Amino acid sequence: MLLQLLLLQLLWLSPAAAKKDKPEITSHKFDNAPSNFFYFDDSNTILLHDRDGGLVHRSEDAGKTWDKVDIQGGKAWDIWRHPYDNKKAYITGKGSTHWHTNDQGKTWLDFEIPKARPSLFRPPLSFHAENSKKVLIHGEVCRIGGLIDCKETTFYTNDGFEHVRLLRENTRGCAFAHATREFKTGDDDKSDDRIICVTTGRISFDRREHRLAVSDNYFEDEEEPSLEGDRTVQGIINIAVVKGYLVAAARAPNTDELAMYVTDDASIWHRAVFPSDSRLKEDAYTILESTSYSIQVDVMTVEPPNPMGMLFTSNSNGTYFTRNIPHTNRNLNGIVDFEKVQGIQGIVLVNIVDNHDEVEGSFGREEKRLKSQISFDDGRTFRDLTADGKSLHLHSVTEMNNIGRVFSSPAPGLVMGVGNTGKYLNDYIEGDLFVSDDAGLTWTRALEEAHKYEFGDQGSILLAIYDEESTDEMRYSLDHGKKWHKVELPVGKIRAKALTTTPDSTSTKFFLWGTKGGGSRTEHWVFTIDFEDMHEDKCGDGDFEKWSARVDDDGKCVMGRQQFYKRRKADADCFIREKKFEEIEPDFDSCECTEEDFECDYNFVRSKDGKECVPNGPLPDPKGACKDGAKKYKSTSGYRKIPGNGCKGGVNLEEEKERDCDDTHKPVVSGEISTERTAFPAKSFRGYFYLERAESSSESKVGKDETVVMRTDKSKVYLSRDHGKTWDQVLKDQEIRDIYPHPHFNDVCYFVTTSKEHWYTVNRGDTFEKFTTEKEPTRDRDLAALAFHADYKDYLIWTGAVDCDKKSGSCHNDAYYSTDRGAHWEVLRRYVRKCEFIKKEGRGDQKKLVYCEQFKGEKLGGSLQLKSSDNWFADETVHFESIVDFATMSEFIVVASKDQEDKDSLKVDTSVNGQTFADALFPSNFNVPIQKAYTVLDSHTHAVFMHVTVGNRKDAEYGSIIKSNSNGTSYVLSLNSVNRNTPGYVDFEKMLGLEGVALVNIVANIEEAEKGSGKKLKTMITHNDGAEWSLLKAPQKDPEGKAYECKPDNVADCSLHLHGYTERRDPRAVFSSPSAVGLMMAVGNVGEYLTEKSEKTSDTFITRDGGIEWHAVKKGNYMWEYGDQGSIIVIVRDTVSTDEIFYSLDEGQTWTPHQFSKKKVHVAILSTVPSDNSLNFLLWGQEEDSDSEIVTFNIDFSQIEERQKQCKLNENDSNDPDSDYDLWEPKHPLSDSNCLFGHVAQYLRKIPDRNCCNGRSIQHLHHIAMKCECTRADFECDYNYEPAKDGSCKLVEGLAAPDHSKICQEDPKRMSYFLPTGYRRIPLSDCEGGNELAEYESKEVPCRGHEEDFAKAHRGLGGFWIFILAVVLPVGIASAVGYWVWQNWDGKFGRIRLGDQGSAFDAEQPWIKYPILAVSGAVAVLAAVPLLVGSLWRWASGMFGGGRRYTTRGSFARGRGDYAVVDEDELLGEDEDEEV
């Protein structure tokens, strides 16, 4: 017995067993700063990455000792921890080689991603929550040494990287549906492998056409899920898996509002519905840390620079959202001061902006005053935080000062934060450290001044280090923060950078990183702080307490349960050793059910006051319940218990409710067309604009909100919400000179007066706000007073009139800019003609890039310089000393300048990046000694169509259409003798919605016309983007079924000719619509030439197959409009008064009259929404017996029987017999196959005789059925070559074939060059291979002396790309790199947040797809860009007399509009009012 006591005493006194009075601290010095480090879960193993050295270090003892990971030195780019398997981690390299470990980094195996590098635009790895062998790898496959032509590609492994295989090309992010353990996809293996990707469009990289693709077999097959009923949705910008939900966000053109779609099973999707006054906007909502039974979203309500938001919570399936708390604090990165207390249901801490009213209208001038609040009932109610009876405010997520969570850890109930008591939150360095051990209910000051902090041993240990400057000590507490102790650091003072521990906070070891010294002498130290030996006892049962997660009387229950934890008492003298790496699991008790435990059932929504669930439309008809005269039936109460809720007894809102059978009936439809007439006290309309809701809008349902704004000749403005059925006068006391709808944001519209006070609306006329400018608007009616930015809707440029009331002749324009919607203005440039924002695809993050035309030396009459700046002209670049004009296009910036060698002539320069310009090389056989005028017609097919005036004699103008290569620098002749009028408009029109189809009118009698005879015009069409042109085949019979006098088989003497753009009173009356694919209407005649447009000689025609076959529909001249995407066509007489319209429901095969007025009306305009997807049309005109009133007539087809049913569409099965759509394949009329541009495209079109409504816009391009082999049709004649009679390309007579080998002599290091063939591929074509390819494709050969090098490298570098490097490097590289970055870059690294994918580089803008538009001042960003590079020419007289005549909203969306000309002469005289 004595021996035993002696042994116990010795053990008690031994150093190894003795209780230590402070933690053990070890230190280690690294050469470089750690760029990333993490623990493997449930272990003391740490990986640390040194990016500067390309190294990875590993420690098995929480950082006490370190070893280098044995991989190829200097190749480690980043490290990644598997979120669900604590044995696995990954090292991504800079190239295609990477590494993975299955044993927490003890051993590493390499794997290859074939020819790819990790993605720069999203995390490179996506994981499966249950099977850690399944991983998705996001990479980029690039050509030319990784410089250009980068294609984002996703790979996968399902065997733990034994094999890496291609998943899919052209992705924009992919995820396993089972990416979280909460998400359930089903029990079968197929669902377990389900992958969802954001992909590019079927034929376009345009962001507006990005879509979802889903596959259950690693994309051997794929489907596009239906998100809106049976319709797919394009414009997907991001996906995310959030707890048990998969969320996708979509954006439509011309809006910053997003649509959010949610699924909880990866099969059935629903659109998330927010309150009508709360809309999701791009870069303006953040999906927060959510629960397994709801999604929580913060929506920005006040825009930067001082953003605020509102917190919303969804129902259990994520579809309906209700408000929780307003005025939440956000930062510029979209991060929100919101955090849940970890491990405890229902407790949330937020910071709100107390002075929200002052901040909202200050545009950043008012500082936010923040208050902290806490909720114990999952956000239903909030209260102040308190410490010592005072309000407490804490720094939160927007000011991260450590890594990991801000306030809490898995330690139950322990919460810490830095802040202050008082009225508002002060600066961080003015804060103290506060602690709460009751989950935030009460707080005490733990330490003075700001500290970083961490929790260990499940809350038994609290550790902190001073965080305002360097320190040589740390503080710790073992009793929940009541008492604190000091411990010194072994290396002296350091500046703390990060303090952390194991993810579950169960360890007694902590990890600290800090720096010592500064500048080049900075040392990087890491420390391990080990508390393991500070107590000899392990905690027993008496050391624990049963702690309720909610100790207040209200809100004890969340999701029908009360939560309890077993945790160590604060004063217990022990550590929880046996629980290391084992997270504490809570216990639950059920609560009685209350109203909060129920949500609205399917087909029900919350009432406006939020107090009850009401039907969302007619209820389903219960089988047999309402037969035989029954008045009542029993059905759902409208409520259901939230899935997963554990409440029992108490309130039961699920009991069935007795309802009226009348509730099941749909509203009675009249079956008739309705008409609404409105008269206005004016003599003419001066402008109208549709402010159409985009399809991602919360109110985008067809017919729900079709806003029109209109100005009369009396400068009065009227607004209609219902497409002209009812009108209200707005801004009644103002005389509005011009209306400027924002060309990129449909909700925004500006109203300019002749003074300095003007008005705008950002909500389509719900409210109007005043803004003041420094100067009155420019007096030059050729120019727009306002210019807009494509991405930032508050950015404006104002062109104001200066010294214009003086008689000194010094009247000029100064330009001002504003970044806050006109609240403040700064001078941009003086003595300008115009200034524009330059923000287009592929031109970099040019947020502030502006081009200005400025008179040299600020002297009127001097040469016009073209200048640019990206910092509001703090610095500037002069690009050209003497220009005529410039225009921005979809893919190019085109400048017309004075030729320095021939001052009487012009020259063209082109840029793709806004910085570097290249001369435009015209064909050698295209000899125009003095180039007087250009009209740029189109550029959306990756090539510029330009009309160069050849004959400039008044009323006999004509020219040639030339077409560029893909970077706009080298042109070939497309067609001669194309008609132009005196103002510079050209008879050229692209067919909207269909690739490569265009119509022109040519002058067939040039010699006679130049001598004074009238022009004789013929209409020609191309089906392959200008490579070949032919006359239009005439229909066999006229509108009355009679044969034409000439024989249509003799096309040269008997073809169809159409009146084109040069004759239009309304430039918006284009032939086609992008939503009615294949349809065109036009007025013309059959014969040898185009005759005068008159009732006697002209007929109205239609084509349904893209211009191959035409049919006569009516005698005389008619205007037309397409509705419901072409399922309704309305026509009305154009040149004579009428009281009726005609409409067709079968693509013009039959026509039905409808009388809309009892009086004859001279109809000036027939209009509808720009998308052509409405069932309403609007006639604008004047009744015959009135000269003091103008009228509008709304024609509404929404009640007709034939359009009551929604058309059925199965986008994943085009052969579905129940579908109301078929697939149509356009073709070249001279081709035996349907191959066009290297592929067979299939378009969805409604079957004409189906009586149903299209409704939501359809993605008409359904599928690329096949890629085609290359043929002659895929090539056009190269520079210096021209088409011969046999169709081949021959060298222009008198020119020698270019000797491309000279580039080898000029560059001795060059390895190869290309032999000319006379052909070049059409930019649109993507054909592959084929027997004829070798004949047309350029042949690459080695330079002399480089044969061996060529042989080695030839396999890795395609000929086309070497040509790019050799010939067009300055422009081509900039274009390709910019385009690649534009496709991928979201402007931000290291953040995954839905709603955050608004690219810093803009997607193709809305005008890119459409052909003709005006480029002058504010309208420089209209529809599709026929640029009119013009000098000081006057706007052509349009439909509406007086004022600046620029196009309507329709032109922005449909390519309808004016366009400009480059001409040294003033082409038009003074404006003259022309009334309707």
Side-chain angles (χ1 to χ4, degrees), residues 1288-1363:
S1288 64
C1289 295
K1290 302 295 184 184
L1291 191 65
V1292 174
E1293 186 176 354
L1295 294 179
D1299 182 4
H1300 289 182
S1301 67
K1302 288 182 178 179
I1303 64 173
C1304 298
Q1305 301 169 16
E1306 297 169 358
D1307 182 4
K1309 296 181 180 180
R1310 178 160 298 286
M1311 187 168 53
S1312 63
Y1313 65 95
F1314 281 81
L1315 297 173
T1317 66
Y1319 299 88
R1320 69 183 186 190
R1321 191 190 294 247
I1322 296 171
L1324 266 183
S1325 178
D1326 57 359
C1327 67
E1328 297 176 346
N1331 295 330
E1332 300 181 53
L1333 179 63
E1335 180 181 348
Y1336 305 116
E1337 197 84 335
S1338 298
K1339 299 176 178 64
E1340 182 188 4
V1341 295
C1343 291
R1344 183 174 296 180
H1346 288 274
E1347 289 81 2
E1348 290 188 13
D1349 295 336
F1350 175 79
K1352 291 178 181 178
H1354 187 60
R1355 291 187 296 272
L1357 205 57
F1360 172 73
W1361 298 108
I1362 292 180
F1363 174 77

Side-chain angles (χ1 to χ4, degrees), residues 1170-1411:
S1171 66
D1172 290 327
N1173 196 27
S1174 177
L1175 296 169
N1176 284 261
F1177 299 81
L1178 200 54
L1179 302 176
W1180 309 72
Q1182 194 167 41
E1183 292 170 338
E1184 280 190 336
D1185 59 354
S1186 174
D1187 59 0
S1188 60
E1189 282 187 339
I1190 49 179
V1191 290
T1192 61
F1193 292 88
N1194 168 273
I1195 314 294
D1196 184 359
F1197 288 83
S1198 64
Q1199 295 291 301
I1200 63 173
E1201 291 287 351
E1202 296 89 338
R1203 293 296 177 265
Q1204 294 309 304
K1205 185 183 76 170
Q1206 172 74 53
C1207 294
K1208 181 177 181 180
L1209 173 63
N1210 186 342
E1211 297 206 43
N1212 293 307
D1213 183 5
S1214 57
N1215 296 317
D1216 185 344
D1218 295 328
S1219 175
D1220 292 307
Y1221 298 85
D1222 57 15
L1223 292 178
W1224 173 69
E1225 296 179 358
K1227 60 177 292 184
H1228 194 288
L1230 302 180
S1231 173
D1232 294 331
S1233 72
N1234 288 351
C1235 287
L1236 272 176
F1237 308 112
H1239 55 260
V1240 176
Q1242 294 180 330
Y1243 291 82
L1244 277 171
R1245 300 210 315 188
K1246 176 182 168 293
I1247 300 171
D1249 61 0
R1250 296 294 175 90
N1251 288 328
C1252 58
C1253 177
N1254 280 307
R1256 183 181 173 85
S1257 292
I1258 300 163
Q1259 180 71 4
H1260 289 279
L1261 179 56
H1262 175 71
H1263 184 58
I1264 301 301
M1266 60 176 287
K1267 289 291 184 72
C1268 302
E1269 292 184 344
C1270 296
T1271 68
R1272 169 66 180 87
D1274 296 296
F1275 294 84
E1276 59 192 3
C1277 293
D1278 202 353
Y1279 184 68
N1280 279 355
Y1281 288 80
E1282 63 182 353
K1285 292 182 179 179
D1286 62 359
S1288 64
C1289 295
K1290 302 295 184 184
L1291 191 65
V1292 174
E1293 186 176 354
L1295 294 179
D1299 182 4
H1300 289 182
S1301 67
K1302 288 182 178 179
I1303 64 173
C1304 298
Q1305 301 169 16
E1306 297 169 358
D1307 182 4
K1309 296 181 180 180
R1310 178 160 298 286
M1311 187 168 53
S1312 63
Y1313 65 95
F1314 281 81
L1315 297 173
T1317 66
Y1319 299 88
R1320 69 183 186 190
R1321 191 190 294 247
I1322 296 171
L1324 266 183
S1325 178
D1326 57 359
C1327 67
E1328 297 176 346
N1331 295 330
E1332 300 181 53
L1333 179 63
E1335 180 181 348
Y1336 305 116
E1337 197 84 335
S1338 298
K1339 299 176 178 64
E1340 182 188 4
V1341 295
C1343 291
R1344 183 174 296 180
H1346 288 274
E1347 289 81 2
E1348 290 188 13
D1349 295 336
F1350 175 79
K1352 291 178 181 178
H1354 187 60
R1355 291 187 296 272
L1357 205 57
F1360 172 73
W1361 298 108
I1362 292 180
F1363 174 77
I1364 289 288
L1365 286 171
V1367 182
V1368 291
L1369 181 66
V1371 176
I1373 289 289
S1375 173
V1377 172
Y1379 184 69
W1380 168 69
V1381 172
W1382 160 75
Q1383 290 181 57
N1384 296 276
W1385 174 242
D1386 77 342
K1388 312 160 188 79
F1389 281 108
R1391 206 169 71 238
I1392 309 172
R1393 179 169 64 86
L1394 195 69
D1396 185 34
Q1397 302 306 306
S1399 174
F1401 303 92
D1402 192 24
E1404 268 192 340
Q1405 293 300 338
W1407 58 87
I1408 288 176
K1409 284 195 168 182
Y1410 314 113

Side-chain angles (χ1 to χ4, degrees), residues 181-194:
R181 286 176 174 157
E182 294 88 348
F183 195 90
K184 305 301 179 184
T185 57
D187 298 327
D188 58 335
D189 292 336
K190 285 180 61 178
S191 297
D192 189 61
D193 282 336
R194 184 162 296 162

Side-chain angles (χ1 to χ4, degrees), residues 1029-1280:
W1029 297 86
S1030 60
L1031 295 170
L1032 284 181
K1033 183 180 178 182
Q1036 295 291 328
K1037 295 181 180 180
D1038 70 7
E1040 297 174 346
K1042 300 176 182 177
Y1044 286 102
E1045 293 181 2
C1046 63
K1047 302 295 184 183
D1049 295 336
N1050 182 8
V1051 178
D1053 298 327
C1054 187
S1055 58
L1056 176 60
H1057 309 289
L1058 306 175
H1059 293 278
Y1061 200 85
T1062 60
E1063 297 183 71
R1064 287 184 190 151
R1065 291 182 297 113
D1066 185 356
R1068 292 159 293 183
V1070 293
F1071 295 148
S1072 58
S1073 165
S1075 70
V1077 175
L1079 297 182
M1080 282 193 284
M1081 293 196 72
V1083 172
N1085 62 274
V1086 171
E1088 186 176 3
Y1089 302 109
L1090 182 65
T1091 62
E1092 182 182 358
K1093 188 176 183 181
S1094 70
E1095 284 296 306
K1096 293 182 179 180
T1097 60
S1098 300
D1099 295 335
T1100 302
F1101 299 86
I1102 192 170
T1103 177
R1104 305 180 189 95
D1105 56 9
I1108 296 176
E1109 290 189 9
W1110 291 80
H1111 308 273
V1113 295
K1114 287 291 177 184
K1115 298 288 287 184
N1117 301 325
Y1118 282 79
M1119 294 179 281
W1120 58 89
E1121 272 292 1
Y1122 306 94
D1124 190 40
Q1125 303 173 63
S1127 86
I1128 300 175
I1129 306 174
V1130 172
I1131 62 175
V1132 66
R1133 298 298 289 267
D1134 186 12
T1135 53
V1136 298
S1137 296
T1138 184
D1139 59 0
E1140 67 178 358
I1141 62 167
F1142 290 87
Y1143 67 93
S1144 174
L1145 304 180
D1146 55 10
E1147 296 185 349
Q1149 297 178 48
T1150 60
W1151 295 88
T1152 304
H1154 169 73
Q1155 184 176 352
F1156 67 86
S1157 174
K1158 295 179 180 180
K1159 300 178 181 179
K1160 295 284 185 179
V1161 179
H1162 172 66
V1163 179
I1165 297 171
L1166 167 62
S1167 70
T1168 187
V1169 295
S1171 66
D1172 290 327
N1173 196 27
S1174 177
L1175 296 169
N1176 284 261
F1177 299 81
L1178 200 54
L1179 302 176
W1180 309 72
Q1182 194 167 41
E1183 292 170 338
E1184 280 190 336
D1185 59 354
S1186 174
D1187 59 0
S1188 60
E1189 282 187 339
I1190 49 179
V1191 290
T1192 61
F1193 292 88
N1194 168 273
I1195 314 294
D1196 184 359
F1197 288 83
S1198 64
Q1199 295 291 301
I1200 63 173
E1201 291 287 351
E1202 296 89 338
R1203 293 296 177 265
Q1204 294 309 304
K1205 185 183 76 170
Q1206 172 74 53
C1207 294
K1208 181 177 181 180
L1209 173 63
N1210 186 342
E1211 297 206 43
N1212 293 307
D1213 183 5
S1214 57
N1215 296 317
D1216 185 344
D1218 295 328
S1219 175
D1220 292 307
Y1221 298 85
D1222 57 15
L1223 292 178
W1224 173 69
E1225 296 179 358
K1227 60 177 292 184
H1228 194 288
L1230 302 180
S1231 173
D1232 294 331
S1233 72
N1234 288 351
C1235 287
L1236 272 176
F1237 308 112
H1239 55 260
V1240 176
Q1242 294 180 330
Y1243 291 82
L1244 277 171
R1245 300 210 315 188
K1246 176 182 168 293
I1247 300 171
D1249 61 0
R1250 296 294 175 90
N1251 288 328
C1252 58
C1253 177
N1254 280 307
R1256 183 181 173 85
S1257 292
I1258 300 163
Q1259 180 71 4
H1260 289 279
L1261 179 56
H1262 175 71
H1263 184 58
I1264 301 301
M1266 60 176 287
K1267 289 291 184 72
C1268 302
E1269 292 184 344
C1270 296
T1271 68
R1272 169 66 180 87
D1274 296 296
F1275 294 84
E1276 59 192 3
C1277 293
D1278 202 353
Y1279 184 68
N1280 279 355

Side-chain angles (χ1 to χ4, degrees), residues 818-843:
S818 172
T819 59
D820 53 14
R821 213 180 301 152
H824 300 87
W825 295 95
E826 299 290 341
V827 174
L828 188 66
R829 267 287 169 260
R830 293 183 170 88
Y831 283 85
V832 302
R833 191 171 74 178
K834 68 175 181 181
C835 293
E836 293 181 12
F837 290 108
I838 306 297
K839 180 65 177 66
K840 303 289 189 295
E841 64 176 67
R843 296 181 194 154

Side-chain angles (χ1 to χ4, degrees), residues 386-589:
T386 58
D388 299 327
K390 300 177 183 178
S391 293
L392 173 66
H393 314 288
L394 301 175
H395 293 271
S396 184
V397 188
T398 58
E399 295 181 87
M400 291 286 287
N401 291 285
N402 199 9
I403 60 175
R405 302 179 72 87
V406 175
F407 298 117
S408 63
S409 76
L414 271 294
V415 189
M416 286 195 285
V418 172
N420 59 271
T421 57
K423 198 170 183 181
Y424 306 111
L425 181 64
N426 297 332
D427 290 340
Y428 182 75
I429 60 172
E430 297 178 21
D432 298 329
L433 180 63
F434 290 82
V435 65
S436 169
D437 68 350
D438 53 14
L441 183 65
T442 60
W443 296 76
T444 58
R445 181 180 280 104
L447 295 170
E448 292 186 350
E449 301 188 291
H451 287 70
K452 295 186 191 298
Y453 47 87
E454 189 53 275
F455 308 82
D457 194 45
Q458 300 180 18
S460 303
I461 306 169
L462 306 183
L463 183 64
I465 184 167
Y466 182 56
D467 194 30
E468 295 183 18
E469 54 187 41
S470 296
T471 183
D472 58 2
E473 65 181 22
M474 302 186 75
R475 300 289 189 95
Y476 65 91
S477 172
L478 306 180
D479 57 2
H480 292 187
K482 296 179 176 63
K483 298 177 183 178
W484 290 83
H485 312 277
K486 295 181 181 180
V487 58
E488 292 185 354
L489 293 169
V491 299
K493 287 192 173 184
I494 65 152
R495 184 67 172 92
K497 298 295 183 181
L499 175 63
T500 189
T501 186
T502 55
D504 55 16
S505 292
T506 61
S507 175
T508 56
K509 298 180 176 67
F510 296 80
F511 181 75
L512 170 68
W513 164 41
T515 58
K516 186 177 177 65
S520 61
R521 297 184 178 181
T522 301
E523 297 175 356
H524 300 278
W525 289 86
V526 297
F527 304 86
T528 299
I529 302 94
D530 187 357
F531 288 82
E532 182 68 24
D533 295 328
M534 286 195 64
H535 288 279
E536 73 279 9
D537 292 336
K538 68 178 182 179
C539 295
D541 290 341
D543 296 311
F544 290 92
E545 63 181 354
K546 183 179 180 181
W547 175 75
S548 172
R550 289 163 198 80
V551 296
D552 57 323
D553 294 332
D554 300 325
K556 287 186 178 181
C557 299
V558 171
M559 286 292 286
R561 298 183 297 182
Q562 188 175 5
Q563 196 173 13
F564 296 92
Y565 279 97
K566 180 182 178 183
R567 73 174 188 180
R568 171 186 170 275
K569 295 177 181 177
D571 57 357
D573 191 17
C574 61
F575 285 149
I576 313 173
R577 285 189 177 88
E578 79 277 11
K579 298 290 186 180
K580 188 179 291 184
F581 308 134
E582 181 182 334
E583 294 183 32
I584 303 176
E585 295 295 331
D587 295 322
F588 293 97
D589 288 346

